Amino acid sequence: QVGSRLPRGGRSGGPDPGTLGPGAVGLAMSSVAALNRSQREKLQNFQQVTGAPQRLAMEFLRRLNWSLDQALDVFFQEGHSCGVQEHLDAKKLEALYMKYASSEDQTIRPEGIEELCKDLQISALDPVTLVLAWHCRAKQMGIFTREEFTTGMQRLGCDELPKLRAKVADMRQALQDRAACKEVYAFTFQFALDQGQRCLPVDMCIEFWKLLLPAHFALLETWISWVEQNVKNHVSKDTWMMLFDLATQVKPDLSDYDLQNGAWPVVLDEFVDFVRASRG
């Protein structure tokens, strides 16, 4: 269990976060100035998703050690609402779910997901589907349970198809944001694993990299070409996540990649050696 709830107006006698005075606002602004770039990006994303004021958003992120994913989960689990989340119609939401659910077990299976994508006017191979699965915290590819789908729609503030269709652009934009994309990227690895697996097949990773990294990895095409020729085994979660760090934290020319003292996986060292050698 996560710690106790944060005070909210009308519940525990704490101030309503929407009525903070000038002093509190000034304090929040000074605190923001002390954040690093990644933390500021996560703060902005948290506020965009929840509508929470800056001070409340920072409290949640600090409480969950700046894990955007966990902070959002706890925020909604505790029933917080800051005005962005619409009051959803339970009957409409159930109708939306049942429109795509299988008559056999009442889960949304691949056929239902295909139909949903068609109605959203996107391909089932569109990376937006991964963002949607992330919002739903889906545990298995090709399946949405009622709880997963309902929770995802609550996070997105959607209880009918037009509302969800209107969110597609926002979900696509999330992949352009480094902090948000990293959350989706980390989720995707676990989401794609079969039960009992610890690593993903290389060919599957390549397809996900093509979907998730174009906006963030200048050497993506070179990386994929090199992997196809040199990596025959599966990809571990450590390598998966460290690749994202390579893509987003190391200069495109790899001049600040530290082969001697860095804690990079061997496969990334070998790739950097290849790139440097090819450039003379």
Side-chain angles (χ1 to χ4, degrees), residues 21-32:
V25 173
L27 179 62
M29 291 299 291
S30 64
S31 298
V32 170

Side-chain angles (χ1 to χ4, degrees), residues 171-245:
M171 288 191 280
R172 192 178 306 285
Q173 185 60 36
L175 293 174
Q176 305 299 309
D177 179 271
R178 186 175 69 173
C181 185
K182 187 171 185 178
E183 296 287 338
V184 177
Y185 183 84
F187 161 82
T188 297
F189 185 90
Q190 198 66 36
F191 175 57
L193 288 175
D194 287 335
Q195 190 169 8
Q197 269 190 325
R198 297 177 64 87
C199 299
L200 286 179
V202 172
D203 56 349
M204 181 180 289
C205 290
I206 288 173
E207 295 309 312
F208 284 133
W209 288 327
K210 290 177 180 177
L211 292 175
L212 296 172
L213 294 184
H216 304 283
F217 194 12
L219 296 173
L220 179 59
E221 291 185 11
T222 305
W223 164 253
I224 289 175
S225 177
W226 183 84
V227 166
E228 289 173 338
Q229 296 296 319
N230 296 277
V231 181
K232 306 303 179 185
N233 299 322
H234 288 56
V235 175
S236 68
K237 186 173 184 179
D238 179 59
T239 298
W240 174 266
M241 294 308 302
M242 292 295 279
L243 178 68
F244 192 90
D245 291 340

